[in-house]
Amino acid sequence: MKMILTIFFLIFSLLSFSHASVVDFCVADYTFPNGPAGYSCKKPAKVTVDDFVYSALGIAGNTSNIIKAAVSPAFDAQFPGVNGLGISIARLDLAVGGVIPLHTHPGASEILVVIQGTICAGFVSSDNTVYLKTLKKGDIMVFPQGLLHFQVNGGGTPALAFVSFSSANPGLQILDFALFKSDFPTELITATTFLDAAQVKKLKGVLGGSG
């Protein structure tokens, strides 16, 4: 039995190595829809160096909005070269008073590096322990996959950071938007969060929710 398991392991390893050596990359083919495993691969003959280069993160995001912040992604939907590689990156601009509300990335862990300004960032573990820190230029913080986390401009000047993810499509759910920018019925929100109905309706009015 031990010999059979050993042979099976060796065969599996050889197949894995063979696949890795044949398929160097899987540039996204946008003529097909995105699926659970990402985009289909563009034919190698149609791949160019431009598929592996993305320049839009050099442009500041528009922070003229209710959260005074902007996230400019370079995920597989924007940057075809990262498709299938298990990595991606985004630019985070925070105006003075800007905030990225509590949110999760169900598909990836995140690491943030501050380029400019001061950012108060943190996350909440599954046992409800809060880990937060005021980060300055050059500081790095990691946010484990699936945990609620946030970023707030902690200074008097605009802040800039770049965030990378362990997935080409990390996914996103913002807690405030899920509650107050949706058609989640007010009576159910009050029952499940203990918030006052008047406050719930006010927040729905601010964020554009219904129900």
Side-chain angles (χ1 to χ4, degrees):
M1 184 65 179
K2 184 177 180 181
M3 179 63 72
I4 294 174
L5 290 174
T6 301
I7 293 173
F8 176 80
F9 174 76
L10 289 173
I11 292 174
F12 179 79
S13 298
L14 287 172
L15 288 173
S16 298
F17 294 151
S18 175
H19 178 76
S21 64
V22 172
V23 182
D24 293 328
F25 46 77
C26 179
V27 171
D29 186 344
Y30 293 140
T31 62
F32 294 96
N34 195 1
Y39 288 93
S40 298
C41 303
K42 182 186 288 189
K43 292 181 180 180
K46 295 185 177 181
V47 173
T48 72
V49 67
D50 290 335
D51 291 315
F52 303 103
V53 178
Y54 190 72
S55 301
L57 298 193
I59 303 171
N62 182 8
T63 58
S64 299
N65 51 60
I66 191 170
I67 61 174
K68 299 181 181 179
V71 178
S72 305
F75 301 159
D76 55 4
Q78 296 84 26
F79 187 9
V82 301
N83 184 58
L85 297 183
I87 56 172
S88 59
I89 191 169
R91 173 182 175 133
L92 172 59
D93 288 281
L94 290 164
V96 175
V99 56
I100 302 296
L102 280 168
H103 64 283
T104 68
H105 301 291
S109 294
E110 172 185 343
I111 189 165
L112 174 148
V113 56
V114 179
I115 306 300
Q116 172 187 311
T118 303
I119 296 176
C120 177
F123 65 89
V124 185
S125 68
S126 57
D127 66 359
N128 297 318
T129 300
V130 179
Y131 298 88
L132 58 86
K133 185 78 172 180
T134 297
L135 308 173
K136 298 181 180 181
K137 181 179 178 179
D139 287 342
I140 294 172
M141 187 168 184
V142 67
F143 307 92
Q145 180 174 341
L147 297 185
L148 284 167
H149 60 286
F150 67 91
Q151 292 95 20
V152 177
N153 187 330
T157 60
L160 169 64
F162 286 92
V163 289
S164 61
F165 300 91
S166 59
S167 170
N169 184 9
L172 171 67
Q173 185 171 41
I174 298 176
L175 180 59
D176 289 346
F177 290 0
L179 291 174
F180 309 118
K181 199 177 181 179
S182 67
D183 59 358
F184 199 155
T186 295
E187 61 271 20
L188 291 179
I189 295 177
T190 59
T192 56
T193 65
F194 308 109
L195 291 172
D196 181 82
Q199 184 65 27
V200 172
K201 291 178 180 179
K202 178 181 178 181
L203 291 169
K204 279 182 172 289
V206 171
L207 294 178
S210 61

